[in-house]
């Protein structure tokens, strides 16, 4: 997840991408491409280009496509084959249309990736409004973790685009509402947000890639873990490192990889929540209020 301040200062685009290098050719409706026209200005976001992606295009293409259908197909293809293999030509083949047909609705492949990224954020349900902030934070953290595992391709894209589509903004707003409800002073709230959701981002990303690797080998996570640990223990120079942590792994608890991972996630999240509570107990809203000459307010 990228916070509002992160969006304002870092789009995550590399210099070559910003210059248009490495992108697939654009179709109709894109910027000037003729000789002498100069480079096409980089687009900040499909949501900020001042137009709908289908501006200047026919209401309906000969293929009978629409942007939602293309976006949904993009998500399915990204789930099935991953980000590295995704291309306009591959998507066109999936939809049984020509690649140029897609350009009636988007200008670039990046537009499609940005649309696909925002569409999956709709899978995150809003937390219960009447719940305590701790429970709401746990709900959002768990939903975000599950999203990262379910769609492993969103991890790199979340740091590449601004994440200002409607579904992403709803998620960000729900997170900010919870962080405000902690009662932390304003200057501490972005740090609390980063602590929780950067942790979830990292945890979910690693978990998703491990699951994908297991799926690729045809092994269950438990079978893959046993095979990997057996291979490591067979190496004399690595065996001592593993054996030194046997007591730690035994104390971890859980009969399966997923159970062990779940225990780690729950405890780590509880630690972060306890840290937020401790910081509030130590400083409360009085730090900011006193600095402004105001009476401190109690958290709701």
């Amino acid at each position: 997840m990228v916070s509002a301040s992160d969006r304002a200062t870092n789009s995550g685009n590399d210099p070559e991408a910003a210059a248009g290098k490495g992108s697939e050719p654009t179709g109709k409706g894109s910027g000037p491409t003729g000789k002498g026209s100069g480079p096409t200005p980089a687009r900040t976001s499909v949501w900020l280009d001042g137009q709908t992606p289908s501006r200047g295009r026919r209401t309906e293409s000969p293929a009978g496509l629409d942007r939602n259908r293309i976006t949904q197909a993009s998500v399915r293809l990204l789930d099935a084959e991953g980000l590295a293999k995704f291309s306009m030509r591959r998507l066109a083949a999936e939809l049984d249309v020509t690649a140029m047909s897609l350009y009636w609705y988007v200008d670039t492949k990046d537009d499609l990736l940005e649309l696909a990224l925002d569409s999956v954020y709709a899978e995150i349900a809003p937390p219960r409004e009447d719940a305590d902030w701790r429970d709401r934070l746990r709900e959002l953290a768990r939903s975000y973790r599950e999203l990262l595992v379910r769609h492993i391709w969103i991890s790199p894209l979340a740091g590449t685009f601004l994440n200002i589509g409607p579904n992403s903004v709803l998620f960000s707003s729900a997170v900010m509402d919870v962080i405000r409800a902690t009662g932390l002073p304003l200057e501490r709230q972005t740090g609390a947000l980063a602590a929780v959701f950067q942790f979830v981002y990292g945890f979910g990303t690693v978990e998703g890639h491990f699951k994908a690797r297991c799926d690729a080998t045809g092994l269950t996570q438990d079978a893959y873990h046993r095979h990997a640990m057996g291979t490591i223990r067979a190496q004399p120079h690595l065996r001592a490192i593993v054996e030194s942590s046997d007591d730690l792994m035994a104390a971890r608890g859980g009969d399966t990889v997923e159970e062990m991972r779940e225990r780690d996630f729950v405890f780590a999240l509880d630690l972060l929540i306890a840290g937020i509570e401790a910081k509030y107990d130590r400083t409360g809203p009085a730090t900011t209020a006193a600095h402004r000459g105001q009476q401190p307010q109690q958290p709701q």
Side-chain angles (χ1 to χ4, degrees):
M1 177 183 150
V2 180
S3 69
S5 59
D6 291 334
R7 293 192 189 102
T9 57
N10 177 27
S11 68
N13 293 326
D14 61 70
E16 288 195 347
K21 296 179 180 179
S23 299
E24 295 193 30
T26 57
K28 296 179 181 180
S30 59
T33 56
K35 293 182 178 179
S37 62
T40 302
R43 294 178 62 183
T44 306
S45 168
V46 70
W47 307 104
L48 293 178
D49 63 358
Q51 63 183 44
T52 60
S54 58
R55 181 180 71 85
R57 297 169 174 81
R58 298 173 186 172
T59 303
E60 185 176 353
S61 76
L65 297 175
D66 60 61
R67 194 175 72 174
N68 287 337
R69 182 185 170 198
I70 294 172
T71 300
Q72 292 168 4
S74 298
V75 171
R76 291 195 302 271
L77 192 59
L78 287 162
D79 285 343
E81 300 185 358
L83 185 59
K85 294 183 179 180
F86 183 81
S87 69
M88 298 293 270
R89 293 183 180 85
R90 181 67 189 86
L91 178 61
E94 182 74 11
L95 289 166
D96 195 24
V97 298
T98 65
M100 289 307 298
S101 297
L102 302 177
Y103 291 113
W104 290 104
Y105 302 96
V106 293
D107 289 332
T108 67
K109 183 176 77 171
D110 279 356
D111 287 354
L112 266 182
L113 292 174
E114 195 172 2
L115 291 168
L117 174 64
D118 185 70
S119 72
V120 298
Y121 274 93
E123 298 172 18
I124 298 180
R128 296 167 293 161
E129 294 183 1
D130 59 344
D132 179 80
W133 70 263
R134 299 161 188 81
D135 293 330
R136 284 188 285 155
L137 187 56
R138 288 187 179 95
E139 289 175 17
L140 286 170
R142 181 171 295 280
S143 294
Y144 187 43
R145 169 196 171 192
E146 291 171 352
L147 187 76
L148 290 162
V149 175
R150 192 159 54 243
H151 307 291
I152 62 171
W153 49 272
I154 76 173
S155 294
L157 295 187
T160 299
F161 298 113
L162 292 179
N163 294 358
I164 54 172
N167 296 309
S168 178
V169 167
L170 284 175
F171 174 55
S172 295
S173 297
V175 170
M176 290 308 302
D177 285 344
V178 173
I179 295 300
R180 291 188 187 98
T182 64
L184 286 172
L186 287 176
E187 67 269 19
R188 302 294 177 85
Q189 290 182 11
T190 54
L193 184 154
V196 174
F197 285 94
Q198 292 298 336
F199 151 69
V200 178
Y201 175 87
F203 195 101
T205 297
V206 172
E207 180 180 2
H209 283 287
F210 179 77
K211 182 178 182 300
R213 181 161 187 171
C214 294
D215 291 343
T217 63
L219 297 174
T220 66
Q221 294 186 54
D222 294 326
Y224 184 89
H225 181 259
R226 287 193 298 270
H227 173 73
M229 295 304 294
T231 301
I232 293 172
R233 288 179 184 278
Q235 304 297 317
H237 65 292
L238 297 176
R239 185 186 308 123
I241 298 175
V242 175
E243 291 177 348
S244 66
S245 62
D246 280 346
D247 57 340
L248 180 65
M249 297 301 293
R252 185 186 195 186
D255 295 327
T256 67
V257 170
E258 292 185 81
E259 288 177 359
M260 289 186 287
R261 190 188 297 121
E262 178 67 12
R263 285 170 177 256
D264 287 346
F265 180 81
V266 170
F267 183 68
L269 187 56
D270 283 346
L271 280 178
L272 291 169
I273 291 174
I276 292 174
E277 292 174 326
K279 278 295 183 183
Y280 175 79
D281 290 340
R282 179 179 298 179
T283 61
T287 301
T288 301
H291 180 71
R292 296 175 180 172
Q294 301 171 350
Q295 291 298 319
Q297 296 179 350
Q298 295 300 318
Q300 298 180 350

